[in-house]
Amino acid sequence: MEPSKEYVFSHKGFYFGANIATPEYIDSLETFEIRDSDIFIATYPKSGTVWTQNILSLIFHEGHRNGTENIDIMERIPWLEYNVQKKDYSAFPSPRLFATHLPYYLTPRDLRNKRARVIYVTRNPKDVLVSYFHFSKIVATLEEVSDFNLFVERFLAGKVLASSWLDHVIGWHSHAEDFNILFLSYEEMKKDLRGAVLKICNFVGKTLSENEVESVVRQATFENMRKDPRANYENLAEYLRGQNKGHFLRKGTVGDWKNMMTVAQSERVDEVLKERMKTLPIKFIWDINDEM
Ligand code: A3P
């Protein structure tokens, strides 16, 4: 079943959110002017994008770290392809920070020439699927599919915003050499947040003091982000359905899929993804007790 045109449009083999982007704008990104100092977070939805945005913002903005500035994460690190407020990114001071769900082949040309830095975050697809299912219920700009079984099929067929999880992840991994890229996983961030923060600092060339690192880690935990209106979508209430304000940070765990999927559904996901997943140089973590 095709996704509803009310919510997505297909352009160059990828589903974009309707009303928040246009094909012309997406095409214009090919020649988007990249600065060497730019940093992009690239993800398939529900893989830990906002988490990584928060970490990056905490690393770069002292005012965020010490609580003197009350600027939303989305303002700090805007969405490249969903520039709803039509901001002039060329006027942004360096280093500019962006988030994107673009597949590798639709990113700005210079990014594919190794200019700027990209942090690509993956998460195991069963947790992505379950998180996406819940997210579609609360976000007004996404099509709600209330039957979970149907959603599983939609997800596996890539009939959702951002298309196929597998194509996205394999695409970025198999073209890693075109980019200046750091791969991280949601699960490693969950198991060792401090280690992930240090990896990011190292990759972006930022040296923080022990106290500053400690402050970033503390403010990037699930519990603390949940309380932080700058990070939990509280100010984006206009995009949420019903009384879901602040529910963006849902569970924040590894392995929640086990609470949601039947054995048959889990096997169905394995069956569809398994072969091509083997080509990925990633060891997926399905349970918090799995070894890294
Ligand atoms: P769940 O729905 O499983 O809770 P994205 O930002 O790419 O849309 O990803 C959203 C997922 O990341 C949600 O997963 C959300 O709760 C989780 N998340 C956000 N901040 C987190 C944090 N600090 N720690 C752990 N998970 C976090």
Side-chain angles (χ1 to χ4, degrees):
M1 197 173 106
E2 296 302 310
S4 161
K5 289 206 168 60
E6 195 186 326
Y7 295 97
V8 293
F9 67 89
S10 174
H11 184 59
K12 299 195 166 150
F14 194 74
Y15 282 121
F16 291 93
N19 311 319
I20 49 175
T22 60
E24 295 71 34
Y25 180 68
I26 303 297
D27 286 344
S28 77
L29 295 175
E30 168 76 12
T31 51
F32 181 83
E33 209 172 325
I34 295 288
R35 298 179 195 158
D36 289 335
S37 56
D38 289 342
I39 298 166
F40 287 77
I41 299 168
T43 56
Y44 184 83
K46 314 322 293 169
S47 303
T49 328
V50 178
W51 192 7
T52 316
Q53 280 173 290
N54 195 41
I55 293 173
L56 214 51
S57 172
L58 284 162
I59 289 174
F60 275 95
H61 295 280
E62 193 181 350
H64 184 171
R65 226 165 33 234
N66 62 25
T68 53
E69 283 171 7
N70 188 19
I71 299 175
D72 253 44
I73 298 293
M74 298 300 159
E75 294 251 330
R76 287 263 195 237
I77 309 184
W79 233 266
L80 179 67
E81 66 275 29
Y82 298 124
N83 185 2
V84 185
Q85 293 169 354
K86 302 210 167 22
K87 292 212 165 129
D88 176 10
Y89 294 145
S90 68
F92 277 35
S94 297
R96 299 180 303 182
L97 311 174
F98 294 103
T100 181
H101 288 323
L102 285 172
Y104 78 93
Y105 62 92
L106 292 179
T107 54
R109 187 170 53 208
D110 281 347
L111 205 61
R112 282 177 271 127
N113 284 327
K114 279 199 161 69
R115 299 220 16 217
R117 290 179 173 80
V118 182
I119 300 171
Y120 188 84
V121 185
T122 48
R123 184 181 191 186
N124 86 61
K126 292 183 185 173
D127 280 331
V128 169
L129 190 162
V130 167
S131 180
Y132 209 154
F133 174 70
H134 289 290
F135 195 57
S136 308
K137 287 199 213 167
I138 69 165
V139 176
T141 51
L142 292 176
E143 181 175 5
E144 186 178 0
V145 179
S146 36
D147 178 59
F148 183 61
N149 230 353
L150 186 61
F151 188 82
V152 170
E153 292 307 323
R154 281 276 197 99
F155 179 88
L156 293 174
K159 304 282 184 194
V160 290
L161 191 151
S163 300
S164 149
W165 172 85
L166 200 50
D167 287 347
H168 203 277
V169 177
I170 289 183
W172 275 93
H173 268 278
S174 58
H175 289 81
E177 295 201 340
D178 301 343
F179 297 91
N180 181 3
I181 194 164
L182 171 71
F183 288 103
L184 283 179
S185 77
Y186 179 98
E187 293 79 12
E188 70 173 293
M189 286 162 68
K190 193 74 200 173
K191 283 197 171 187
D192 179 12
L193 184 52
R194 192 186 140 82
V197 167
L198 292 175
K199 261 191 198 170
I200 294 174
C201 285
N202 189 35
F203 179 65
V204 301
K206 244 339 225 178
T207 311
L208 298 183
S209 70
E210 260 311 305
N211 282 346
E212 288 167 338
V213 170
E214 157 45 37
S215 168
V216 173
V217 173
R218 187 171 15 89
Q219 296 184 66
T221 60
F222 183 77
E223 293 69 28
N224 287 333
M225 268 182 68
R226 211 164 193 237
K227 287 185 263 178
D228 185 348
R230 295 170 305 185
N232 67 13
Y233 274 33
E234 205 168 303
N235 303 331
L236 295 177
E238 63 188 296
Y239 291 109
L240 302 182
R241 286 193 180 100
Q243 297 301 309
N244 289 304
K245 220 173 122 187
H247 281 46
F248 166 74
L249 277 97
R250 196 182 58 91
K251 280 203 174 171
T253 56
V254 177
D256 186 44
W257 61 272
K258 292 181 184 166
N259 300 317
M260 184 80 193
M261 284 186 192
T262 61
V263 171
Q265 283 163 342
S266 166
E267 284 176 359
R268 169 83 181 127
V269 175
D270 291 339
E271 175 197 318
V272 175
L273 302 182
K274 207 170 55 195
E275 281 310 307
R276 287 183 67 211
M277 268 178 79
K278 281 189 202 148
T279 65
L280 282 165
I282 314 178
K283 183 175 178 294
F284 283 94
I285 307 284
W286 306 94
D287 183 292
I288 195 69
N289 297 318
D290 287 354
E291 275 181 38
M292 300 276 288

